[in-house]
Amino acid sequence: MSEELRKAFEVKAAAWDAYTETPAGRLREELNWRYLVQHLPPADQASRILDAGAGTGGLGIRLAQRGHRIYLLDLAGEMLELAGERAERAGLTDQIECHRGRVEELPDLFAPETFDAVICHTLIEYVPAPATAVKTMAGRLRPGGIFSLAFVNRYADTLRLALSKGQLTAAREALTAGTSPADLFGVPRQTFDSETIRDMLTEAGLDIIAEYGVRIFADYLAGDDWKTDPVAFEALVDLEAAAADRFPYCHIGRYGQIIGIWGDM
């Protein structure tokens, strides 16, 4: 399956890079950033951060601009090539390293207690043993290190199919399916609820410190003004951020983002 995934991500690397520049892509990245950055070490500490499933490096670039040293891991070489080009354009090649491989190979790449933070955003859906992958990534953290995991939310998958697409039969099936197609990449992926993700993190030795819903409202808005009007876009970001950690909204975002901390300081 990893070879099938690699090929899918290679073929769609440029399309993914283009998606990250669309309003929906920018919204997701901005929200992930806002929820992550408040838990990271101060910028002047120049921490070492692993971005597992880094794609074309959008989040990594922002972290490097903040002063951190970034290690990008991705299965697809084409993704990393685009990430490298982004880093070069931003003048950040000295702060960003690219590593091609699977998350299961991390013990061969990095020693335990290497990183001050590990980011794993929408990668866990594609790995064959998610709980094992989480333990492997957590094991690379230093004491007090931060783990940010973002995932496709099973609950929102049903809502999106019913309310946004009008696919009622598919929505009914999604209630119990546990998988959904990745529209861009054309491969199946797992979906999760926050309870399952929290259990994974806890079993890996992480203490949960925050939980957020990501893209709670955007998929259901009646109009598209936020896609063309910067003022409307900022108003949507403000609404999303205000609701993100409140019940029940944190459980119905298109994506979930849960932050954990490893061990004692």
Side-chain angles (χ1 to χ4, degrees), residues 129-220:
T132 300
V134 168
K135 289 180 181 178
T136 300
M137 289 183 280
R140 305 307 106 192
L141 283 168
R142 295 170 177 164
I146 294 298
F147 192 112
S148 176
L149 195 151
F151 57 95
V152 176
N153 182 6
R154 178 177 298 162
Y155 301 144
D157 212 40
T158 300
L159 289 171
R160 182 181 65 95
L161 288 167
L163 302 181
S164 296
K165 298 193 171 185
Q167 298 177 5
L168 302 184
T169 300
R172 175 66 180 84
E173 293 171 352
L175 286 172
T176 55
T179 61
S180 70
D183 294 337
L184 178 61
F185 298 111
V187 293
R189 61 185 175 186
Q190 300 173 75
T191 58
F192 299 92
D193 53 58
S194 66
E195 296 93 329
T196 300
I197 295 296
R198 291 174 73 97
D199 286 346
M200 279 188 204
L201 296 175
T202 300
E203 289 170 10
L206 293 149
D207 295 324
I208 308 300
I209 58 174
E211 180 174 353
Y212 306 96
V214 179
R215 228 171 76 188
I216 299 165
F217 305 104
D219 290 19
Y220 314 120

Side-chain angles (χ1 to χ4, degrees), residues 231-249:
V231 174
F233 183 88
E234 288 302 320
L236 177 57
V237 169
D238 182 65
L239 173 62
E240 293 270 356
D245 61 352
R246 302 186 188 192
F247 181 83
Y249 308 106

Side-chain angles (χ1 to χ4, degrees), residues 56 72 79-89 93 96 98:
T56 56
L72 305 181
M79 291 281 192
L80 293 175
E81 284 187 24
L82 292 171
E85 292 171 8
R86 278 189 171 194
E88 186 173 1
R89 289 195 299 271
T93 53
I96 296 177
C98 294

